[in-house]
């Protein structure tokens, strides 16, 4: 069974600075997808960024980028120029490329942004 | 707004009771997923339906059941409720079944139903 581990329960960053959230996963599959979701205090789950395992190029969405290391099974999220609105829980998630499309989530990292 | 609606937003009930949570997927989406978010278990997948049929099961208790109706809305039924069932229950929907990373299969989450069992 696949597992996702986020080793940082809490992180803090100064406004305008850069922060990296860590995620590792375990799988025997070669084809899969990885995601970062943001959950602000409103509790809404918001997709931040996604990565296909077969793509070597790291995904980027504006201030958000990932460092995908397939051999190491690592998938970190970098937030540049942090803003107060980035404060939230961040979840790393895995999805098989096979017939089961459900997401497997890590425990989450709570990010605080200091003004 | 993801386009996925869930009712009610909040639900408070007593142990031993039964409740029904409702989810309406985005227009055109055929797949519905149910997830539970609790303090001790984190976010975990419960069950998936596609076009009215059950497609995948996760860590769903036997006391819980779900169905998807012809109009594609879904209901999650929780019975013989225990204190530990208190959680945030999310519904997500996608157009397709699974596999692939096109927008066809991206999951859009509803706002969740907060269940409190006293």
């Amino acid at each position: 069974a696949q597992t996702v581990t986020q080793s940082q329960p809490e992180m803090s960053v100064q406004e305008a600075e850069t922060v990296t959230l860590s995620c590792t996963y375990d799988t025997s599959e070669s084809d899969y997808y990885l995601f970062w979701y943001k959950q602000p205090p409103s509790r809404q789950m918001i997709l931040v960024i996604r990565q296909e395992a077969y793509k070597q190029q790291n995904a980027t969405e504006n201030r958000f980028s990932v460092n995908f290391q397939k051999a190491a099974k690592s998938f970190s999220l970098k937030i540049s120029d942090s803003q107060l609105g980035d404060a939230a829980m961040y979840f790393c998630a895995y999805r098989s490329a096979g017939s089961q499309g459900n997401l497997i989530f890590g425990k989450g990292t709570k990010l605080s942004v200091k003004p | 707004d993801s386009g996925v609606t869930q009712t009610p937003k909040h639900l408070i009930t007593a142990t031993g009771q039964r409740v029904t949570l409702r989810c309406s997927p985005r227009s055109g989406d055929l797949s519905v997923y149910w997830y539970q978010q609790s303090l001790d278990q984190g976010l975990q997948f419960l069950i998936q339906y596609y076009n009215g049929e059950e497609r995948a099961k996760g860590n769903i208790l036997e006391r819980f059941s779900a169905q998807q109706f012809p109009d594609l809305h879904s209901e999650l039924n929780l019975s013989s409720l225990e204190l530990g069932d208190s959680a945030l229950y999310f519904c997500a929907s996608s157009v397709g079944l699974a596999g692939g990373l096109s927008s066809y299969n991206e999951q859009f989450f509803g706002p969740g139903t907060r269940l409190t069992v006293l």
Side-chain angles (χ1 to χ4, degrees), chain B residues 40-77:
Chain B
D40 52 347
Q41 297 292 329
L43 261 165
Q44 57 177 359
F45 167 67
L46 296 178
I47 197 164
Q48 178 202 0
Y49 277 82
Y50 176 78
N51 202 21
E53 293 189 6
E54 182 185 305
R55 294 297 302 196
K57 260 186 173 179
N59 297 322
I60 188 166
L61 299 172
E62 284 191 11
R63 299 183 287 108
F64 296 0
S65 65
Q67 53 184 327
Q68 186 178 27
F69 294 86
D71 67 351
L72 300 177
H73 91 271
S74 179
E75 294 181 357
L76 179 66
N77 300 296

Side-chain angles (χ1 to χ4, degrees), chain A residues 83-100:
Chain A
Q83 301 175 359
L84 295 177
D86 294 333
M89 282 291 289
Y90 286 83
F91 293 94
C92 179
Y94 172 104
R95 197 187 92 201
S96 171
S99 59
Q100 260 190 266

Side-chain angles (χ1 to χ4, degrees), chain A residues 30-102:
Chain A
S30 58
D31 200 11
Y32 49 87
Y33 307 98
L34 297 165
F35 306 83
W36 279 98
Y37 280 86
K38 172 184 178 181
Q39 187 180 41
S42 68
R43 297 294 188 180
Q44 179 72 47
M45 294 293 287
I46 303 166
L47 178 63
V48 174
I49 199 166
R50 57 191 170 199
Q51 174 81 41
E52 297 97 315
Y54 63 85
K55 286 189 178 179
Q56 290 189 332
Q57 185 174 6
N58 290 323
T60 299
E61 288 286 345
N62 301 313
R63 298 182 295 106
F64 299 87
S65 62
V66 298
N67 183 5
F68 173 51
Q69 301 290 327
K70 190 172 184 179
K73 296 180 182 174
S74 170
F75 183 60
S76 61
L77 174 69
K78 185 171 83 171
I79 306 174
S80 304
D81 185 25
S82 296
Q83 301 175 359
L84 295 177
D86 294 333
M89 282 291 289
Y90 286 83
F91 293 94
C92 179
Y94 172 104
R95 197 187 92 201
S96 171
S99 59
Q100 260 190 266
N102 61 282

Side-chain angles (χ1 to χ4, degrees), chain B residues 25-31 72 94-96:
Chain B
R26 294 186 319 154
S27 177
D29 284 2
L30 300 177
S31 263
L72 300 177
S94 66
V95 174

Side-chain angles (χ1 to χ4, degrees), chain B residues 8-15 17-21 81 83 85-87 113-118:
Chain B
K9 287 186 178 178
H10 302 278
L11 197 50
I12 301 173
T13 188
T15 55
Q17 295 298 305
R18 172 189 168 95
V19 297
T20 297
L21 313 183
L81 285 168
L83 296 178
D85 298 328
S86 295
T113 293
R114 167 71 69 187
L115 173 66
T116 302
V117 182
L118 301 176

